[in-house]
Amino acid sequence: KRQDRMIRKLTRPTTLEIRSMLRERLSDSCIIVTQFDPTETVLKMLPYLAPSCPFVVYSEHMGPLAECLHHLKSNNIALNLRLNIFFSVL
């Protein structure tokens, strides 16, 4: 098991390799999960997303997501925006 983990770590692309992949070709979708301000993260990732492609933003808290939604709508950055709330009961 330990050897398998080491192999996975060694074959994982580095941050620089991921950045170069993003610059070479635009993504056709994007899923953002962040503990930080989602607005800032979305705005930094949108240039790497091809036009008219879907993206999803997940956050633990609704307030930052609502602010992100408001910013994207008020600046006409994206269309067909929705804010969904999911509750998990364990």
Side-chain angles (χ1 to χ4, degrees):
K1 287 182 182 181
R2 185 178 292 168
Q3 184 180 5
D4 290 341
R5 273 187 271 154
M6 279 302 283
I7 291 170
R8 279 196 311 266
K9 279 186 179 181
L10 292 173
T11 57
R12 235 182 254 165
T14 65
T15 306
L16 293 175
E17 290 172 337
I18 292 170
R19 283 184 185 173
S20 68
M21 282 189 274
L22 285 172
R23 288 187 180 128
E24 289 173 11
R25 181 177 60 139
L26 294 177
S27 298
D28 58 357
S29 63
C30 183
I31 300 172
I32 298 172
V33 181
T34 181
Q35 296 176 350
F36 306 108
D37 180 24
T39 306
E40 220 176 291
T41 308
V42 168
L43 294 176
K44 286 184 180 179
M45 292 305 296
L46 282 179
Y48 301 109
L49 190 62
S52 299
C53 289
F55 64 93
V56 178
V57 182
Y58 290 97
S59 179
E60 195 174 332
H61 305 286
M62 193 171 114
L65 283 176
E67 289 174 17
C68 181
L69 177 78
H70 176 71
H71 181 79
L72 293 172
K73 276 186 176 181
S74 63
N75 292 312
N76 293 324
I77 295 173
L79 300 172
N80 195 18
L81 297 170
R82 286 178 278 161
L83 180 63
N84 294 326
I85 304 167
F86 295 100
F87 293 100
S88 175
V89 179
L90 298 177

